[in-house]
Amino acid sequence: MDPKKIVLNVNGIEVIYNSVILVLKGVSLQVPEGGIVAILGGNGAGKTTTLRAVSNLLKGERGAVTKGSIELRGERIENLSPADLVQRGVVQVMEGRHCFAHLTIEENLLTGGYTRKNKGEVAANLEKVYTYFPRLKTRRTSQAAYTSGGEQQMCAIGRALMTNPSIVLLDEPSMGLAPQIVQEVFDIVRDLNAKERVTFLLAEQNTNMALQYSDYGYIMESGRVVMDGPAADLANNEDVKEFYLGVGGGERKSFRDVKSYKRRKRWLA
Amino acid sequence: MIYRENGQFKTTYRADQQVFPILQDRLFIGLVLITAFIIVPAMASEYWFRALLIPFLIMALAALGVNILVGYCGQISLGSGAFMAVGAYGAYNFFVRVPNMPLVPAILLGGLCATAFGILFGLPSLRVKGLYLAVATLAAQFFSDWMFLRVKWLVNDSPSGSVGVNNLQVFGMPIDSAVSKYWFCLVMLVVIAMLAKNLVRSAIGREWMAIRDMDVAAAVIGIRPMYAKLTAFAVSSFIVGVAGALWAFVYLGTWEPAAFSVDLSFRLLFMVIIGGLGSIIGAFYGAAFIVLLPIFLNQVLPALASLVGITISTAGLSHAELMIFGALIVWFLIVEPHGLAKLWATGKQKLRLWPFPH
Amino acid sequence: MSEASQLADAPAASGTGRKIGEVILDVQNISLAFGGVKALTDISFNVKEHEIRAIIGPNGAGKSSMLNCINGVYQPQHGSITFRGKTFDHMNSHEVAVMGVARTFQNLALFKGMSVLDNIMTGRNLRIKSNLFMQALRIGPAEREEMRHREFVEHIIDFLEIQPYRKTPVGQLPYGLQKRVDLGRALAMEPQVLLLDEPMAGMNVEEKQDMCRFVLDVNDEFGTTVVLIEHDMGVVMDISDRVVVLDYGKKIGDGTPDEVRNNPEVINAYLGTSH
Amino acid sequence: MGFFLETLLGGLMAGMLYSLVALGFVLIFKASGVFNFAQGAMVLFGALAMARFAEWLAGWGVTNQIAANVLAFIIAGAIMFVVAWVIEMLVLRHLVNQEAATLLMATLGIAYFLEGLGQTLFGNSIYKIDIGMPKDPVIAFESVFQGGILINKEDLIAALIAASLVALLSLFFQKTNTGRALRAVADDHQAAQSIGIPLQRIWVIIWCVAGVVALVAGMIWGSKLGVQFSLSTVALRALPVVILGGLTSVPGAIIGGLIIGVGEKLSEVYIGPMVGGGIEIWFAYVLALGFLLVRPQGLFGEKIIDRV
Amino acid sequence: QAKEQFFPLLSYRTGPYAPNGTPWANGKQDYIKMINARDGGVNGVKLTFEECETGYATDRGVECYERLKSRPGVALFDPQATGITFALTDKVPNDKIPLITLGYGLSVAQDGQAFKWNFPLMGSYWTGADILIQHLAKKEGGFDKLKGKKIALVYHDSPFGKEPIPLLQERSKMHGFNLELIPVTAPGVEQKAAWLQVRQMRPDFVLLWGWGVMNSTALKEAQATGYPRDKMYGVWWAGAEPDVKDVGDGAKGYNALALNTSGTQPKVIQDILKYVHDKGQGTGPKDEVGSVLYTRGLIIQMLGIEAVRRAQERFGKGKVMTGEQVRWGLENLALDQKRLDALGFAGVMRPLSTSCSDHMGSTWARVHTWDGAKWNFSSDWYQADEQIIKPMVKAGGEKYLADKKLTRRTAADCQS
Ligand SMILES: Nc1ncnc2c1ncn2[C@@H]1O[C@H](COP(=O)(O)OP(=O)(O)OP(=O)(O)O)[C@@H](O)[C@H]1O
Ligand SMILES: Nc1ncnc2c1ncn2[C@@H]1O[C@H](COP(=O)(O)OP(=O)(O)OP(=O)(O)O)[C@@H](O)[C@H]1O
Ligand SMILES: [Mg+2]
Ligand SMILES: [Mg+2]
């Protein structure tokens, strides 16, 4: 990693749910200022948990960081409330959308602007989100619960952008979105990153896209980081190719032809 | 690693489906049963029986019934007191009006009266959900309060509305000593708890839970919400009704409608929540907490106070009792929001890993 | 495990063993609107026995709503649905389930408080014959019946490779596994028609391959008809026999993957140029 | 006819008094999705504080009754603020994102605690709040109806206070940013946190407002009934009101109150005698239930969403 | 072992009825303390007590009973609540502990031949209702003047409130007045409908059968609907300071039955102030001493202690009495005026003597009126009409015996 300024430094954290289930077993990662960092890994690897630990949303899940430290621009943030973190520019897009069901799409977005006191700024942000996701504009008066899955996902992302963040934690942004929109979401990420120097930490299953757009990647397996490196290197790693990009041995295999035996290899276990 | 399941492989699904698949659990429950049936009767004093154990058993039974409706089927009920009252007065009417009516059938018939009443007031649940349903069940509560005060026939024309029974017998054995009452309630409780446990781990129990967790999805996989909800109301109010009959017959002897007031309904709901929604064993913990803790505080606080050399007035003690009780509820919830049963389960999980922390 | 892999190994080569049969489900002129929002406008398409039928389209196109109509969760304002020769104006959830249609959900609709095993067991409920009293007593037949179904469910659990989580409350599982459980619950109904709403969202390639394998196996082995909504074009194009394309409530394409792939309207509205 | 109008009027005003208590429920439900069992205890607690301080202040030399009352109200309000703050710090903060049942139970613990604390601090006898409410009746329209129509000034004033409180709070919820944030919190604690809504501050504010509403309710009911433990049971009378109006609607609390008030008084007076009387309380619940069967979310409640 | 006679005291100092329950409980405690301090107990037997909080709830009351009943030297129980009385009525015969319910409980329990262990001393709701009707007749100038009059009973909707109804119906048949029944749902915080009904039917008199907050609320609603308070007559549980205190002037003219005086003049009160409160041993605040319910507490405790004293006369002076022996004492109380004077109760209450067939001992009561600051007597003593009540009690006793499959106590049993 180049000697860029590290904004977010996660240092050997352990996370325990319900005071018995140990989920993260010493995860460390760094996010440089203005970088796009991806966390990859299979179901249950602990990506979401890592993001929750950073944004301090673990408490509501009865989880806790029991070891290690998390620093934001050199400041320890384990004891800050999520609201404090948003004030400092860190916002998370939660997995599974979590739109406010009874609020309309527009109200959802406006709630995202709660921390911004400047009315003009909020209005401008709203317009920006609407230009990113025109679909939201047409559905603005509809209660979030009655919109389609993809519309809710857009709403969740848009809502987070309304806070004018400097670091965005994106948990599976592409889930449930049509391919074109996925493309657009990643373009937005790149856009914000380039134009507004927003830093991104994203957990993604769409490895292909994630590696294409990010600078650096971490691969997690059962609560540990098993591999990390610049995105380009990871994309060329044979194992990554085979297990995460589905192009092992050169050609992409048809989903119809995949072998039925269990092939997953564990790096560590 | 005192408590572990390593090495206890299940070779059949049947073995795995047992209520207590782990050996330690079986030993433990066996011990509990032996204690309950043999050791406790040998040791407990009259006071323990009459003032603590019997009400605990009956309330545990009632809480179990409420738990089926609230905990398993997710239908909030604040009318459990009414179902108990209907059970009690129903059993009473069968008992005094039908010549030579034996006790147990009278109680069960009382339970059936409660079932009918429960289904009637459960009908709105087909349309009204969540907290809003509380209105329907409270309507049942206040209606029954009124009914047993106003309809003379139901109280056998007693002018004041208070009624009583005596000469209780089961198969010719009188149920009047403290121990016999205890055993009687214990047997009822154990039998009903087993049946209830069977129900909740069978298809019907899964239907209830499915309706509770997500009713639309449940309908899509073929569960009929109406059937599931009404059976939950029926089974629940039957058990609650039986508990009501026991409460009236065995514990109170003579009672007035106020014995089944809305306070009782609330207390039953609290038992279920603090014990653990959707857990049979939780009903026991909840009943113990709500029934026994205030009594315990009431007796221990003066002793504690005198120990540290302060004398608190009786009124002060009562208020301190309320405060401590309230604070304990909050504290337990913070430690484990899913109730005492979950706390117990987590404890077991820790034991499983012991001495390692994770 | 071995059983499951045998199941899968034999016909893996491109579904040669399957015979696509007659039309089993026919949707005619369905229109559905919510207030001003037209979710579906005059949609017709059919599904043939044993085929894998995909529905694709941009977000908010009305795909999930279509499944909801078939399922009886929504009542369309116009149109009718014919299932196995019987025509209905609108469907009733319970009847649909009885007729053998199962479904997974886009926004996980699992029973959160229940374990994986219990969740999948609910799929068997329609087949349970013993009544309340027998279940309470759990005597002979009731118990044996329960065991039979348990055994069936265990096969599904093996098949989906979620053995270690049997007793875990589903709420605690990671997203991807919850999707599998959702599939398992639908499979437990032994459906003739399986409606899958984005079963592979939130999975990486390897996991998607697993899921595809499950779907193909079910389709091959039991001849289950599959209706699949999916945004991953790789998956759709590889495994489906025919594809319907919806756009803002209207049907804009219908045909084999290749036909659809080359349909300009579809490219414009949905696929974009990258595919 | 005169009597009918009188009953109607009595019902309307009783309904307004229920609304005042119902309002507290609505506030907290709106802000956290929790049904606050402690509302009754808060009414009692507020009233006790106010009654006792008014009394003590008189003893400490504040002889002007109005001054004593105003001061006592301010002190009691401050106490309610402290209570709200402590509740947030010791209870709510630790129960973020938990199920409604858990939170409901926690408010019950709070109720017990407040009841105990209130009686310990302020005593358990009957106390008086004398805010100079006129007690004697006014008879109006004597020329129109035989015997005239009885109007209770005290009720009228109380109804006016209730109405203005409701108007104020409705505005607050409709027009401010915070109002929207509250609704967001009620929908999803965690998501609200994730976008920077300061849950803790919001809860302190809303419990504090609910506490003051409880204090006003306690003051008015207390001046009617005398301040003692039974005050906490008016919560049960307010329950059908909240639910009929819709758990999330401030104006609903008023409309619900009026409907329930009128419904129960008319039923008691006209149907009651036929069946032996004493029916008003269950009638209120049955009435609310009747409305629910038509509108399961109450008259003005947010539609209950269930979607797959 | 020390010679101690134990008095379990069931009380409620918290909850909806605390304002009324507290002075009552304080009176009972203070009297015991005073007897110990002044007389050193009963013939050398020290009196002990323990209070148990019931919160007016039946199950808590039963728990208290079970906890305290097996203490050594238990004399008797006074449950202080109708619901608890019902539940204990079934239990006391087995435990052989008498139950005294002064001025409350079951009216039919006056029949001591049916209810061996119950002692509704000094009056039941039947005697109370009877006396009120007598008083109204006297005010109107004779029973015949009641004809066509309208009397409304506003009552607490519970067995407590319903008890007087049979007697009032009987009386209304006899004298031809109309009885209107208006129930008030417990606890009675909302009575608008009830009083609108009163306003509409314009009864000549209102009888108020309330307890706790219901009473003050009724008075306030009466004021608010303009019903004259001087036409309202309460039972003795609706005639104490907590019922009128915060209504103040609004309750002026309101009448209620009185079983006892209030005020600090009686010697017994002076003794309590001297031996208990002046020593800093008082249970409650000093200014409550001598209030209506406080004084009633004193009487209850005095009667219990006198029963012990009476029993000692027969079973051995200076011994601790068993429950059975105390029961005999209760059944053979003979407190004539002289004895009352000696006890310091001169003028506080009427003489009282019980027997096997009469567990009440006295059916006298009078009426007092609130003048805005204190209660003043406004009538002489009345005695309930035996001829009406006796048959009712007898019939009720028979029904009870039949229901419970018991037989009437024999003369021999009465001697034991
Ligand atoms: N609230 C919870 N309580 C207990 N265990 C949990 C909880 N949330 C997650 N876990 C466990 O933590 C582990 C990691 O889960 P996490 O959600 O972080 O995975 P993930 O990498 O985000 O997976 P996915 O790609 O499926 O979202 C899983 O094994 C899961 O079962
Ligand atoms: N119950 C409802 N009430 C109101 N509008 C609805 C409802 N259900 C769906 N809609 C609207 O109908 C349209 C189609 O929704 P649907 O969920 O079918 O989309 P979809 O094709 O599944 O999209 P996605 O790929 O994003 O899941 C959307 O605009 C949605 O907002
Ligand atoms: Mg995740
Ligand atoms: Mg969809």
Side-chain angles (χ1 to χ4, degrees), chain B residues 46-47 50-51 149-150 160 162 165-166 247 251-254 256 267 295 298-299 314-315 318-319 321, chain E residues 13-14 51 53 58-60 62-63 66-67 69 83 86-87 90-91 157 159 162-163 183 399 404:
Chain B
E46 167 110 357
Y47 166 68
R50 287 191 189 271
L149 279 169
R150 208 56 86 245
S160 66
S162 75
V165 291
N166 59 350
W247 187 251
Y251 182 60
L252 295 178
T254 305
E256 55 171 335
R267 283 199 336 195
I295 298 173
N298 188 283
Q299 300 190 36
T314 342
S318 317
H319 302 149
E321 180 193 322
Chain E
R13 293 173 180 277
T14 179
E51 217 172 72
E53 169 76 35
T58 306
D59 49 348
R60 284 298 292 274
V62 172
E63 189 270 329
E66 298 291 351
R67 189 194 314 170
K69 75 176 188 193
F86 290 145
D90 267 7
K91 299 182 190 296
D157 203 359
K162 285 163 65 173
E163 279 271 341
K399 183 166 187 300
K404 300 266 159 170

Side-chain angles (χ1 to χ4, degrees), chain A residues 148-150, chain C residues 60 63-65 106 197-198 229 231:
Chain A
S148 84
Chain C
K63 305 179 295 295
S64 302
S65 302
Q106 178 174 14
D197 197 347
E198 302 197 18
I229 297 178
H231 282 303

